[in-house]
Amino acid sequence: MKDVIKEKEEQAKAAAAEDEDEEKIKTIDEVSETESPTSSDSEGDDKSQFIACALNIDIALIFPIREEASLYTFHIFISLVINTVRCEMLRRMPKHSASELSLNKDLPMKMIRRKSLSQLTFRGLKKEEIQQRNYLTLINMTIEELYIELLYVIIHNVGHCNVSFEIGETALFSYIQDAFKISNEKHQELYDVASKKEPPNMLLNVEVIEAKDLAPKDPNGLADPYVTLYLDSSTSRRYNSSVKQTTLNPTWEEHFALPIDENAADDTLHIEVWDFDPAETVGEKFGKFVNVKGVKGIRRLVKEIAVTATTGQHNNELIGRAQIPLSAIPATGMKMWYSLDKKNKVTRQGVIKLRLGFSSEKNSKVATQEHRHLLRILLLHELETSKVAPYWWCGTFSPQAESLITQHVAQSGLCPVDTALSQWIVYTNIHKTHPLSYDLFASILEKLVKPVQTGLLSEEDQKLFWNATHRLLPSCYAMIRKIRKTNFKEKNALKQISRVLSILGTICVLDSSENIHKDLVEAIRKGAKDWFDHLLENNTVEDDSDDAKLKCLVKIVQLVRTDLQKAVEYYDKMFQEQVNFQYARNLYNIYQKKLTELVKPDVEEICTTMAKMPHIGYQNYSQVDTSQPLTIGTTLFELYLYLQRFVVLGDGLCPFEYDSFEIKDFHVWFYSGVAQWLNIAFYKALQRIDKAVGLDQLIPVDNTVKYSSSAIDSISIFYQIKIFWRELNWPDVEGCYTFIAKIIDDICRCLVHYATQMAKAVEGMGDKQDMYEKKFEVTQEWCLAINNIDYVLQSLVPFTVELGMEDILEKLSELNSPLEAQRCQQTLETVIANSVDTVKNEIFNLLDVVASKMCPSMKRLLVEGAELFHQDCNSVDRVMMYLDNNLHTLHDQLNEENFNRILDIIWDYLNDILLDLIKTNLEKRRPPSFFANLLETLKLMKSSFRLNSNCECDKLKKTERLLYLNGLETPDLIHQVHLDLWKEQKSTEEPSFGQLTVKMKFQGDELKVEILNAKNLVPMDSNGSSDSFVRVHLLPEEMFTNISKPKTQTQHKTLFPLFDESFTLKLSPEQRNRPDGLVLFSCKDYDMLDYDMLGYNNQYIGEALVHFKDVPNGSGSVSSLPQMSLELRRPQTLGMHTFKDVPNGSGSVSSLPQMSLELRRPQTLETDALKALEFRQGDKQAKEFLRRYKMKMAITKS
Amino acid sequence: MRPTNKNTMLKVVILGDGGVGKSCLMNRFVSNHFDEHSFHTIGVEFLNKDIEIDGETYTLQIWDTAGQERFKTLRTPFYRGSDICLLTYAVDDKVSFRNLSMWKNEFLYYADVKEHLHFPFIVVGNKSDISNEEREVSQIELESWCNENGICNCIETSAKNASNVQEAFKMAVQYWLKAESRADKNEYSCNDTIDLTKKSGESRSSCCIGATEE
Ligand SMILES: Nc1nc2c(ncn2[C@@H]2O[C@H](COP(=O)(O)OP(=O)(O)OP(=O)(O)O)[C@@H](O)[C@H]2O)c(=O)[nH]1
Ligand SMILES: [Mg+2]
């Protein structure tokens, strides 16, 4: 038999897929499976059971149970009723929730109504017979039988105001003929069978829902309304609702089923609302109703009210009535408000809300089975003819099919739950081969939720439901798995996903034991994995290069992130709301693992090889092609940034799991790459600096500033490094600190490089060559170059701040310890200070270059000036002008610091030039005037150009002195030697050759000298003694040529001679006032063998010098002169010493203290004055002086 | 006003296992200070110090590196451009001594030096103050290692009692001078270097602004 069906179906649907066939068989199997127990079990058929139960109720209610009847029996009875009613209610009134059906105070009333219903609908068939028939029908149901059934349905169309009427029987016949693929002959044959079949027994189902605004009937302005209903064709059979006490807006929600016959089209339903008569018995009853307690009481009350209600034995007042022709009721049923009228009353008596519909008493099992087949065939036909796209069909049939189905539902007495379940079963089945809209499933499921949830479906139906559900689930999961194929921009696609989720969510709620959640996660995971694999497959590396590999990774990370974003944007909320699932979070978890697996090894490898890359070297950064490491580095960085963004997304999405993610430490993979990035950044910077310098026109960027374009470019180059650093946003604090140190060090190198390039750029500028000379003029370009470096240097410290140093140190302090952070800070500060110093040195070097370039011109001009000083004053002016011009430029262009610096340097150079000039021109035997002229020029320059630091002054002073000495005429120079000796005598600690005691003073213009004695003279003769005498000279010699040089008597053979001789030397006022006049006491050993008194043939013992200023002024005799003990010395070196013993004041010479003078000898030739003398080779006087001087020294040495 | 730093600048790196006393050596050398409880260095530390040799002043820019393995990627970028490398170990730590080769190789690998053979490495055995029982590396072992590795300068120091610390740095500079003069002879020019620490020839020998004294 199965084969028959199978064949026929195959015929009907030639294009059907294989598994669909299996499905058909299965459907049949299911049917036989579910039906088989029915044959043996009396509860198999709801309806028969219902009827049976109803009968029991009848018995129980109509024939009062005896007092002694056990409570137990009653209990069973009640539960039976409840179950039955529940089942039946479910079929008929699916809108009512189970709670309404549960045991409540209204229940007895309902039981009463059931009683009347069942009584009337029972057609006298025996229960066994019904079962038998059902079974056979189900077993034997073929396409043809179904067809016949459909024809029958069409013939006995119910509900006269719906589409089927408009379409007409014939249209419907041809439609099903088409759908079932039935030949004309066969149709006719089957039609005959159908038309001969007994017309169906139909029921009119009425639900009295509520009434409103009823006309008041009782003195209290209210009423106690109840409803009576009956049909025209059978006025004696009335149905009453319960009475609602004291209300004008009662709610009943009670159901009635009125049997109708074939003439139903002409019949009319009457609805009457009555006010219950407040007769005391009935009132009592209702009063009791409220107060009833205990099972017995309920039973009694129920019975009494039932009697009253069914017999209509009351004397009540009509409130209003309504008539409804049955032809006005559509086959699909309806819910409506009706006005209540009353004869001879114009005003409305209120409104009543009714639900009206038809049903048949056909066996529901058979009917549902039929219905499923019908749905299946019609839907297949529908799909075939309409060519609706997959996932689009959402439950709308053609009008013909629609009408057929409606008729079948009505005539078969199928309730909405039945139809919904049928649809669920059939559609899920067809869905496998031709996907239908999830909207459809969602809406069907919605109707099934409550029945399933409350366990009100029969066990078989439950089973069918779940079977169907399991058929649907895979496609739901597939949908989730392929979520990425949905075009999220299309509204419908998103809606489909939402519906799928809603379906899953609902199913999850229906049965928590179902592993929906687990499967969903699996589907999501699988989907994500498949997609990831798909990404890998579709993003293969073009060539084997690291760069290609990285580019590929970048793309994948990017795509994954986009997918996540989509998930967040479009699906996450949906998943959370519908299935309480953290979609994005789960997805992220999957991806982060996948990405880690994929990216980590490659990145680590590439970073390592990159670090191993031969270093480019600072030297030849420009020649080396940095493009390759540069591109790899750039791509690697790009990857880093994408991963970074990915990780940030994770932080937001999964705040709890985040710490366990391996990918959060992604930066570690890049560790060895960062150094190389920094290097690349550094090389890039170097190359860019070259370019910037090349492009620099060396004109100020605008007239308010004194730097040019490359300075700004360089700063922006550094800025880019900062941007890189910011973007890198390196998470590891220790790394940050170290990298910052590196960056600062690199920036410093860049700055030095910039300085070098800047110097190169201006190298030849300012050099001028005319026919006479090569000349250098300070130009604006030079100044700009210097300012540029300075300007860029100024940006260094703010730059380091902007790198986020402070922040890093703070974190270090938290993470490690404040002490360590302090160390790090110290390091960074040292690095910065070091950088600043280094660059300042570079600036200094450049300033130095400028200054040194000025040197040749300065030198030449100075020489010219010195040579021509007296003849041509202009030549000095020329030096001054040259300096003036250049300094002017420098002053205008450079900042103060640099100007001061260069001024120092220039002075330094000037000094060098002068020293050099002195040296070379001494060799050239220039006359003293040459040097004197130079000195004059120097003094002029000094007064014109500010000098800054003292140390330079010292140097210059020395030079000045050299110029001064060399500028002196020879006698002056000789005197200078004496003065040096005098100074040296005062300071030296050398042992003396004896002490001389003298007294001396000026009296008027006379110098009075008293030579008292000498002590400890060095022995000059072989006998260890001396024959000494003292001569007095006044110096400078030229000044005192007219003055005789007095000498004492020779004291023989003693080292402690007593002279006691006085001299008066008469001086002119001019001589007297010579400021640097000296008195020289020369002590000699008288040589008997040699009488040449003029020469120094007498043995020289030593000498002592007294400055005029140390000689006191006074009057009186010589004897009162102060004694002076003079050390006898010979010339030694220059030095400063104060002469403490010199008395100051006037008075007689004799009253003056004695002066004790150490006798010394000249010791050195190393004074500037002596050296200057040495250079005067052609000068006899100089030569002679030096000869004697050296002789004096020679004595010491011998 | 005028920058005082006209000296030759030399970049010195100190390498060696964590805890051998690199930071202590540097601090002893720079500030003559010893801290018994010093921290492990993070990444690098940097200090400047002038040193006078044969009347000439040199400014040493000393980069003290972190010896711990986890800092490898952080310290290596600082090797480049070094003039002198101090390879240090602790005489009471055999492992640190054995690691010297590793340090030498790591340095040569990342430092980008031109002439491996003549690079001025100085081997410094620190903590010489410890007792004989604690000593794990003898002077003889040190010398033989140096011989094998073509390094002719080694010294044992103690940052704790300041012995040989100045000498170690001095020795390093002297060795550098030797290497440099050899390089000069070989006309080994790196004139267009932009690396300030690696000035050659005339530019290196102090930038005294030509103020040639008499
Ligand atoms: N006895 C002794 N101990 C020393 C000497 N020098 C350093 N130490 C100790 O060795 C330990 C480590 O010294 P550090 O200078 O921090 O070691 P380091 O080589 O810088 O270590 P890292 O920074 O981790 O590379 C400290 O506890 C010091 O007190 C030394 O000469 N003698
Ligand atoms: Mg350290």
Side-chain angles (χ1 to χ4, degrees), chain B residues 23 39 41 64-65:
Chain B
S23 303
F39 307 100
T41 302
D64 166 37
T65 63

Side-chain angles (χ1 to χ4, degrees), chain A residues 611-612 615 617-619 671-672 675 679 682-683 686 734-735 737-739 741-742 745 749 752-753 812 816-817 819-820 823-824 826-827 830-831 834 838 841-842 844-845 848 897 900-901 904-905 908-909 912 952 955 958, chain B residues 1-3 5-6 9 11 23 27 35 38-48 61 63 70-71 73-75 77-78 80-81 109-112 114 190 192-199 207 209-214:
Chain A
K612 271 183 196 159
H615 291 312
Y618 292 131
Q619 295 84 7
Y671 233 123
S672 42
N679 273 333
F682 172 57
Y683 291 128
L686 290 184
E734 292 180 343
Y737 151 70
T738 320
F739 290 137
K742 172 91 176 110
D745 197 40
R749 287 161 199 271
V752 171
H753 178 68
L812 260 180
N816 297 54
S817 69
L819 264 171
E820 282 173 278
R823 285 277 279 275
C824 294
Q826 190 195 341
T827 291
T830 320
V831 173
N834 189 57
T838 313
N841 268 337
E842 288 299 319
F844 188 83
N845 287 345
D848 184 61
E897 189 188 350
N900 287 337
R901 273 196 210 149
D904 285 348
I905 300 171
D908 210 4
Y909 271 120
D912 293 345
E952 304 306 322
K955 262 189 178 177
K958 211 174 155 193
Chain B
M1 181 69 50
R2 223 171 128 168
N5 210 342
K6 300 183 230 165
M9 297 212 216
K11 175 171 175 176
S23 303
N27 282 320
D35 188 358
S38 66
F39 307 100
H40 279 294
T41 302
I42 298 169
V44 287
E45 269 177 51
F46 176 79
L47 283 177
N48 275 326
Q61 300 183 320
W63 290 93
R70 71 189 181 100
F71 289 115
T73 40
L74 291 182
R75 64 175 176 254
F78 290 89
R80 214 172 297 182
Y109 193 97
Y110 290 100
D112 195 25
K114 294 217 165 164
C190 35
D192 52 357
T193 170
I194 65 110
D195 179 355
L196 63 141
T197 63
K198 197 150 185 160
K199 285 177 179 162
C207 33
I209 326 304
T212 39
E213 311 271 336
E214 279 104 338

Side-chain angles (χ1 to χ4, degrees), chain A residues 919-1060:
Chain A
K919 198 175 152 221
T920 50
N921 286 293
L922 280 173
E923 279 158 12
K924 286 184 191 160
R925 310 231 176 135
R926 294 276 189 183
S929 65
F930 178 88
F931 301 100
N933 290 347
L934 273 183
L935 184 62
E936 286 307 305
T937 316
L938 175 60
K939 281 179 176 160
L940 203 60
M941 286 194 294
K942 262 174 85 174
S943 62
S944 305
F945 309 116
R946 182 166 44 98
L947 261 178
N948 291 293
S949 64
N950 297 328
C951 82
E952 304 306 322
C953 257
D954 286 347
K955 262 189 178 177
L956 211 59
K957 265 184 186 147
K958 211 174 155 193
T959 313
E960 251 183 301
R961 185 171 154 77
L962 278 178
L963 282 176
Y964 166 73
L965 291 173
N966 285 298
L968 291 175
E969 291 301 323
T970 305
D972 294 335
L973 192 53
I974 290 171
H975 187 62
Q976 195 60 47
V977 174
H978 285 127
L979 283 170
D980 288 347
L981 280 172
W982 166 72
K983 276 182 198 153
E984 189 228 278
Q985 278 189 6
K986 293 209 286 186
S987 62
T988 187
E989 299 293 323
E990 291 286 312
S992 65
F993 300 90
Q995 290 98 36
L996 188 67
T997 312
V998 297
K999 284 184 183 177
M1000 56 203 297
K1001 74 164 184 177
F1002 279 115
Q1003 197 157 40
D1005 290 334
E1006 288 180 349
L1007 175 66
K1008 303 215 175 220
V1009 181
E1010 193 179 322
I1011 297 171
L1012 301 173
N1013 54 51
K1015 288 180 269 184
N1016 299 320
L1017 292 180
V1018 285
M1020 296 304 285
D1021 300 340
S1022 47
N1023 56 12
S1025 182
S1026 262
D1027 309 315
S1028 56
F1029 68 94
V1030 177
R1031 188 189 289 275
V1032 181
H1033 305 252
L1034 293 183
L1035 299 174
E1037 227 162 331
E1038 284 70 26
M1039 191 76 191
F1040 301 97
T1041 39
N1042 60 330
I1043 310 289
S1044 63
K1045 297 161 201 156
K1047 142 182 131 102
T1048 62
Q1049 298 298 314
T1050 305
Q1051 304 296 325
H1052 293 282
K1053 293 188 174 59
T1054 171
L1055 296 175
F1056 295 85
L1058 282 172
F1059 299 112
D1060 269 334

Side-chain angles (χ1 to χ4, degrees), chain A residues 839-898:
Chain A
V839 178
K840 277 195 174 158
N841 268 337
E842 288 299 319
I843 294 175
F844 188 83
N845 287 345
L846 214 53
L847 291 172
D848 184 61
V849 171
V850 175
S852 69
K853 274 178 170 272
M854 289 168 65
C855 285
S857 294
M858 289 194 295
K859 192 169 178 177
R860 201 188 54 248
L861 290 170
L862 276 173
V863 174
E864 281 171 16
E867 277 171 349
L868 308 169
F869 188 71
H870 288 295
Q871 297 100 313
D872 180 9
C873 274
N874 282 340
S875 54
V876 177
D877 288 351
R878 281 177 63 201
V879 188
M880 298 301 289
M881 242 168 62
Y882 178 77
L883 271 171
D884 197 47
N885 282 344
N886 286 316
L887 285 175
H888 210 271
T889 313
L890 289 168
H891 187 259
D892 275 358
Q893 298 286 337
L894 298 181
N895 63 26
E896 198 185 327
E897 189 188 350
N898 285 333

